[in-house]
Amino acid sequence: MKKLLLSFTILLTSFSSYSSDFAGGSITWECLPTGKYIFYMEAFQTCSGPAWTYQTEVIDVVASSMPTNGVIAIVVLPDSNRWNNSGTGDLSQQCSPLLGTAYSCANGDDGAVQAYYYISAPIALMGVPPQDGWKFYWEGGARDTSIKNVNVVGTGLLRSIMY
């Protein structure tokens, strides 16, 4: 299985109706022997913020070289098997027993992080990526307000490029 992760970027944009503390994520894909692709998306949120809305999401694709000549959408569904098998996505640091109770999303601890996993059905992408690549975008999740190196409140954006 070959997965390509070409780009991981969080950009801040305008206000959104999402209610979470978005902390990052990724968009990756796997090429199947049939020539179709399965897309995966991971979204990370801080556990001390409001609850994440774990629902169907859409990855937009900007690809002028495709027969659709513009934007297409890839629907990604919650991957509840992966989420459940990973301890409900809890990525919290496991501290030494000497330091007391470990961080936990269940406790809403500051610094605890949870992952939400998504997967698409196999999809065919027609054409060949142009020199500047096909661009995949997902926008959502309110930015984690504990991040202090920017002074803008907004949403998170995941972006990846297939060359």
Side-chain angles (χ1 to χ4, degrees):
M1 176 190 316
K2 184 177 181 182
K3 287 186 179 179
L4 299 175
L5 175 60
L6 297 176
S7 176
F8 169 77
T9 306
I10 300 170
L11 298 175
L12 301 175
T13 59
S14 63
F15 287 94
S16 173
S17 62
Y18 282 86
S19 177
S20 69
D21 280 337
F22 180 71
S26 65
I27 297 172
T28 59
W29 52 87
E30 171 188 358
C31 183
L32 302 175
T34 62
K36 292 185 176 185
Y37 296 88
I38 293 179
F39 282 81
Y40 303 92
M41 187 175 85
E42 297 176 341
F44 307 124
Q45 91 149 29
T46 57
C47 299
S48 56
W52 182 267
T53 306
Y54 200 22
Q55 63 189 13
T56 300
E57 298 288 350
V58 175
I59 298 171
D60 292 319
V61 185
V62 178
S64 60
S65 65
M66 285 187 187
T68 58
N69 196 26
V71 177
I72 63 171
I74 298 170
V75 175
V76 288
L77 304 170
D79 189 348
S80 54
N81 286 334
R82 184 171 178 203
W83 192 73
N84 288 325
N85 290 336
S86 69
T88 62
D90 194 338
L91 302 177
S92 307
Q93 270 304 74
Q94 297 303 309
C95 298
S96 162
L98 300 173
L99 298 175
T101 308
Y103 280 164
S104 161
C105 274
N107 295 338
D109 293 330
D110 242 356
V113 176
Q114 191 167 23
Y116 291 88
Y117 304 105
Y118 297 85
I119 188 169
S120 75
I123 183 173
L125 297 177
M126 306 308 286
V128 176
Q131 187 172 0
D132 61 344
W134 288 334
K135 295 167 182 69
F136 302 91
Y137 298 93
W138 174 81
E139 182 179 1
R143 184 183 63 81
D144 180 355
T145 55
S146 69
I147 298 172
K148 302 296 184 201
N149 63 344
V150 291
N151 62 0
V152 178
V153 176
T155 60
L157 176 71
L158 299 178
R159 181 176 71 160
S160 193
I161 302 174
M162 181 188 291
Y163 293 98

